[in-house]
Amino acid sequence: MSDSDAESLHATFEEFRFAANCVVSRSRKENGYIETSKSCLHERTYDEVRERTDDLHANLVQAARSRAADALKAVVERWKDGDKASLPTFTSDFADYDNRSATLHDDWASLATPDGRVEAEYVLPPETDGTPFDKYVESDKYSVNGATLHYRNGSFYLHLRAKTEMDDAEPAEHPSVLGVDLGIENLAVTSTARFWSGGLLNHRRDAYERLRGNLQQTGTESAHWTIKGIGQRFSQWSEDLLHTVSKELVQEAIEHECSIIAFENLTGIRERISNASKFQQGAFNQLFEYVEYKAEPFGIDMVEVNPAYTSQRCSACGHTAEGNRPNGDDEFCCGNCGYEVHADYNAAKNVAWKHVRAGQKSRSGRANRQLALKSGTVNANGEYSPADAVSARAGVHR
Ligand SMILES: [Zn+2]
């Protein structure tokens, strides 16, 4: 790529950032609240952003607004949870392209910039067999429908987004929700009763911490390098593990024909598991990211729900009480109906149920949602075990 092409791409980043930051700066409404609706933000900012950016493609303006809206929504969510957070600021080099602002071929792309189109060839490994590139970009089953361009360490990276043709069909009339509960003892548990133990991760982490502590005490230079080495090996190992778990989670959603994976939001996890270490928080973060990334090509959305009471509520009868979960015990025991079940599995069902109910309450005529359970998918008309009666009722169409 020529220097002038690179310059044009940098100019795009700058304009994209400016557009996103401009939307953020115009988001405060007269009543002091923050506007997060994309269409309202469009009304408020489109003309100004078009005028103040220099030939930024209209679809890049729109993409920058979407980014700003998502970031604003996340901040408002945190405020609702009582967290302190400031309005987002965009500082990094990136731009989101779609099929109008870019033409994405199998081996090269043409990208809109303020100076006209830039054509860039992909730099690929010599052998792409078995890579995501092979699976999604070169495959006929998927079509590339967008990309995010990043700049890091002196190189441009284009992250392509692909979707299956199936996504073009109408969304399922009754989207099914897979609920996921995250924790320390069990890293993840789904509403379909699949468990991923956190045991090995915790064990290895403890061993690593101990070893690091001992080495730090010796204080020599070689100890310093050893710490670095084992630290890197440990992060690589834990990353691999989280990749595997996220892949299996998405697989679980596919097998149960779920179009939505529901997690409790990260702030919620932070509060619920107050003794979770920074490392564990980081692991949850990473798992989120991996799941989202792996679920997208299958048209599976990830949603975050407010976690209030997911561990205290009985997923069978809906009874909510602090005493429902005996302290330090894996077993959930309902004081009302006597339902006994693994506490994390109970919580996972509640996470899914929360999202099911959120759909119910909406007046937008959104499709009825249902919950994926161990015994199959449940809705009001389907079969369900009596224990799941309430969750099932939550799926009744208004
Ligand atoms: Zn109960």
Side-chain angles (χ1 to χ4, degrees):
M1 178 184 303
S2 72
D3 284 355
S4 78
D5 282 353
E7 253 171 52
S8 301
L9 292 176
H10 281 294
T12 312
F13 292 145
E14 203 173 303
E15 303 268 281
F16 191 88
R17 245 192 327 262
F18 175 85
N21 286 326
C22 186
V23 170
V24 171
S25 71
R26 297 286 178 260
S27 61
R28 198 172 285 279
K29 294 187 278 193
E30 289 64 33
N31 61 10
Y33 285 85
I34 296 295
E35 183 61 74
T36 58
S37 138
K38 285 177 190 169
S39 55
C40 295
L41 287 168
H42 170 86
E43 296 276 313
R44 295 172 81 87
T45 61
Y46 186 74
D47 290 340
E48 185 190 355
V49 173
R50 279 319 296 272
E51 201 175 307
R52 294 180 67 188
T53 50
D54 191 14
D55 291 326
L56 188 63
H57 191 285
N59 286 42
L60 287 170
V61 172
Q62 184 191 334
R65 186 176 60 243
S66 283
R67 281 283 187 154
D70 290 342
L72 286 165
K73 252 178 230 152
V75 168
V76 170
E77 278 305 311
R78 291 187 57 189
W79 289 348
K80 281 186 193 156
D81 290 338
D83 280 6
K84 286 208 178 84
S86 42
L87 289 182
T89 314
F90 292 87
T91 54
S92 61
D93 286 330
F94 77 98
D96 294 323
Y97 284 91
D98 64 11
N99 276 333
R100 301 222 171 144
S101 48
T103 315
L104 302 160
H105 301 279
D106 273 4
D107 47 2
W108 63 283
S110 141
L111 305 165
T113 78
D115 315 314
R117 291 264 171 165
V118 162
E119 292 181 354
E121 257 178 64
Y122 304 154
V123 181
L124 295 165
E127 196 49 68
T128 56
D129 278 4
T131 64
F133 188 82
D134 170 51
K135 193 168 164 206
Y136 300 118
V137 180
E138 295 186 313
S139 153
D140 292 337
K141 285 197 209 119
Y142 294 86
S143 57
V144 174
N145 68 333
T148 301
L149 184 70
H150 297 270
Y151 183 76
R152 269 197 300 268
N153 305 324
S155 302
F156 291 97
Y157 293 89
L158 192 64
H159 291 175
L160 297 170
R161 285 188 294 277
K163 61 173 192 171
T164 59
E165 297 305 330
M166 273 160 46
D167 302 350
D168 290 333
E170 285 292 297
E173 195 183 344
H174 302 296
S176 221
V177 182
L178 182 75
V180 183
D181 180 70
L182 297 179
I184 295 173
E185 197 181 320
N186 286 300
L187 183 58
V189 177
T190 65
S191 59
T192 50
R194 187 149 176 202
F195 288 69
W196 286 267
S197 166
L200 190 56
L201 186 64
N202 299 332
H203 173 76
R204 285 236 187 160
R205 172 73 191 178
D206 289 347
Y208 162 62
E209 290 288 2
R210 259 199 315 277
L211 189 56
R212 192 174 67 163
N214 293 341
L215 283 163
Q216 256 161 359
Q217 276 182 350
T218 70
T220 62
E221 192 184 339
S222 85
H224 168 78
W225 289 110
T226 313
I227 291 173
K228 223 173 155 180
I230 56 171
Q232 276 166 355
R233 274 200 300 282
F234 174 73
S235 353
Q236 187 58 54
W237 175 84
S238 71
E239 251 172 56
D240 287 349
L241 178 91
L242 294 169
H243 263 300
T244 306
V245 173
S246 63
K247 202 165 81 188
E248 290 171 354
L249 260 171
V250 172
Q251 203 55 46
E252 186 74 7
I254 294 169
E255 273 165 28
H256 289 82
E257 296 180 349
C258 296
S259 53
I260 293 166
I261 300 176
F263 281 87
E264 64 179 285
N265 62 39
L266 284 169
T267 327
I269 298 175
R270 220 164 29 237
E271 274 153 27
R272 182 170 55 82
I273 319 175
S274 49
N275 61 343
S277 65
K278 264 226 159 69
F279 163 74
Q280 277 147 344
Q281 304 283 6
F284 296 148
N285 263 324
Q286 224 165 19
L287 193 63
F288 258 58
E289 232 174 75
Y290 292 164
V291 169
E292 193 167 29
Y293 170 77
K294 291 188 167 73
E296 200 196 347
F298 297 99
I300 298 170
D301 283 333
M302 228 181 91
V303 297
E304 293 177 39
V305 304
N306 182 324
Y309 310 118
T310 47
S311 58
Q312 290 149 15
R313 179 183 176 276
C314 171
S315 63
C317 76
H319 174 70
T320 302
E322 254 175 59
N324 274 348
R325 185 173 181 172
N327 246 349
D329 198 330
D330 281 350
E331 203 65 10
F332 176 92
C333 182
C334 178
N336 183 46
C337 73
Y339 183 48
E340 280 181 36
V341 66
H342 191 288
D344 295 343
Y345 172 45
N346 182 63
K349 285 198 285 185
N350 282 330
V351 167
W353 174 84
K354 279 218 165 185
H355 186 64
V356 168
R357 220 185 56 151
Q360 263 259 284
K361 283 190 292 191
S362 101
R363 287 167 174 272
S364 62
R366 232 183 306 180
N368 180 17
R369 296 163 178 166
Q370 53 196 8
L371 188 59
L373 297 171
K374 189 181 181 182
S375 50
T377 304
V378 170
N379 72 5
N381 311 318
E383 276 93 41
Y384 50 83
S385 61
D388 292 314
V390 169
S391 315
R393 273 204 295 279
V396 179
H397 205 285
R398 290 155 31 91

